[in-house]
Amino acid sequence: MVCKTKILNTQLRNIEFIVLDLETTGLSIYEDRIIEIGAVRLKNGRKIDKFYSLVNPQKTISPFASQKHGIYNYHLLEAPISCMIRKYFCHFIEGCVLVGHNIMNFDRHFLYRELKVTKNTLFVDTLGLSRRLFPDKHGHSLDMIAKRLKIRNIQSHRALYDVKVTMDVFLKFVELGKTKFKTLRDII
């Protein structure tokens, strides 16, 4: 395991990041479950690998959630359950810093509970970065940030599409904050 202090002082260009997004059965971090995972591995700002899976939550998706992301119960009948992909996902993210939009308040709870991601995992939240870079702006949703930065968003609320937008937002934030954001410590 990498020493946290050492990695926090590492230059951003020397860190591998995993940009990820989850879709879930609903909005409760306590009761809902993962139904879709999308993740992209970045090195030096370039995509080098990706991970994708639908996940059978073994529970019903709320109508609100299905309407939002377009994933319905019948889409997941043949999908693996989370424990079947846990090993592959954890291997994919090993040694990387995880990046997501609102990852601190939402996604990480699902990652801990369902995929057994360790508590030592480091996270960068583009929501927090947006608030730091644009403190006077209102609206820090992924859609609002994408519009502000003129990043094309083809389809919201599907894991790999949101990963692409989050990745572009993250890379743009690193570029915009290049005088402030030199090490991982500067963006966490």
Side-chain angles (χ1 to χ4, degrees):
M1 183 168 134
V2 179
C3 174
K4 260 190 180 180
T5 305
K6 185 177 178 181
I7 195 164
L8 286 172
N9 294 322
T10 302
Q11 297 287 311
L12 294 177
R13 67 180 175 272
N14 296 324
I15 296 173
E16 285 191 27
F17 292 96
I18 300 286
V19 181
L20 68 86
D21 185 63
L22 306 175
E23 299 304 332
T24 60
T25 57
L27 296 175
S28 171
I29 61 172
Y30 304 106
E31 296 175 14
D32 286 307
R33 306 283 309 265
I34 297 169
I35 59 171
E36 185 180 43
I37 303 171
V40 169
R41 182 184 290 256
L42 294 178
K43 187 172 186 172
N44 291 323
R46 293 179 41 208
K47 177 179 158 182
I48 59 171
D49 202 358
K50 80 175 181 179
F51 180 96
Y52 175 79
S53 184
L54 288 171
V55 181
N56 184 329
Q58 298 182 295
K59 73 174 280 182
T60 304
I61 304 170
S62 76
F64 168 80
S66 285
Q67 188 174 33
K68 196 87 164 155
H69 48 55
I71 302 170
Y72 293 87
N73 294 304
Y74 68 87
H75 290 126
L76 306 174
L77 294 175
E78 302 296 320
I81 59 177
S82 61
C83 67
M84 293 171 70
I85 61 167
R86 182 180 301 142
K87 180 174 131 183
Y88 303 107
F89 181 76
C90 288
H91 178 72
F92 180 77
I93 68 167
E94 188 176 354
C96 296
V97 175
L98 304 186
V99 178
H101 193 76
N102 199 25
I103 197 168
M104 296 304 290
N105 293 320
F106 192 72
D107 305 72
R108 82 177 166 131
H109 300 286
F110 292 93
L111 294 169
Y112 290 153
R113 189 181 72 227
E114 289 189 60
L115 297 175
K116 308 300 184 213
V117 169
T118 70
K119 302 280 184 175
N120 293 328
T121 303
L122 295 171
F123 297 92
V124 174
D125 196 330
T126 55
L127 175 63
L129 286 176
S130 178
R131 289 178 175 152
R132 285 174 57 196
L133 285 168
F134 305 106
D136 299 331
K137 298 284 185 187
H138 294 290
H140 296 278
S141 69
L142 189 57
D143 287 336
M144 292 292 290
I145 295 166
K147 285 178 186 159
R148 186 175 300 130
L149 299 175
K150 297 178 178 40
I151 292 171
R152 190 167 178 229
N153 189 357
I154 298 169
Q155 179 182 352
S156 304
H157 304 296
R158 285 305 299 262
L160 282 177
Y161 287 106
D162 284 352
V163 164
K164 169 73 171 103
V165 175
T166 304
M167 178 181 72
D168 291 344
V169 163
F170 174 65
L171 293 172
K172 187 69 171 176
F173 282 173
V174 169
E175 181 187 319
L176 290 171
K178 64 183 163 199
T179 59
K180 290 192 254 186
F181 304 153
K182 303 237 185 260
T183 67
L184 183 60
R185 181 182 305 280
D186 299 329
I187 63 171
I188 285 194

